[in-house]
Amino acid sequence: MDTRLSPRERDQLHSLIREKLDTGGAEGPAEIRDTTMVRELPGVDSMMLLRLLGAVELGFEVNLGFQAIPQVETVQDIERLICESRAARRERVLTAGGRP
């Protein structure tokens, strides 16, 4: 299973995080990296994390579910969850006799 997004999708994810969490400050937008601790970003609390994951679901057309919340520590964790959701969807389609 591929656990990495394409560079374009990774940029999309980082932009989405900056947008939803409003990480800009007086010094400009915060840099988002794979190792960025999501819960340490300015203004992040449990409700904000839930909103972010909802936006990720819509933006990447995946289903992360509530079980994703405790799994998210870093931005890379969100990327992994996106890839896992896509792989699970492909498996369901193939099992049902369809094409991914």
Side-chain angles (χ1 to χ4, degrees):
M1 171 182 60
D2 189 11
T3 58
R4 300 293 293 179
L5 298 174
S6 71
R8 184 184 61 75
E9 288 179 312
R10 194 170 302 115
D11 287 344
Q12 177 186 351
L13 175 60
H14 293 188
S15 293
L16 181 71
I17 292 169
R18 278 193 297 275
E19 175 188 322
K20 291 299 173 188
L21 301 183
D22 192 24
T23 61
E27 62 281 345
E31 186 174 354
I32 303 294
R33 297 176 185 228
D34 290 345
T35 57
T36 298
M37 300 296 287
V38 175
R39 295 172 199 265
E40 292 178 6
L41 290 168
V44 173
D45 59 15
S46 58
M47 285 305 296
M48 187 57 69
L49 181 59
L50 184 61
R51 286 186 194 112
L52 171 63
L53 293 178
V56 167
E57 286 184 327
L58 291 173
F60 287 88
E61 298 179 356
V62 294
N63 183 13
L64 303 179
F66 289 110
Q67 68 275 11
I69 296 169
Q71 296 180 46
V72 173
E73 291 186 23
T74 66
V75 172
Q76 191 169 7
D77 292 331
I78 298 172
E79 182 174 349
R80 177 184 47 77
L81 290 166
I82 292 168
C83 293
E84 287 174 358
S85 176
R86 287 176 173 174
R89 180 175 57 204
R90 271 192 306 273
E91 183 63 31
R92 284 191 305 273
V93 169
L94 289 173
T95 301
R99 292 174 39 192

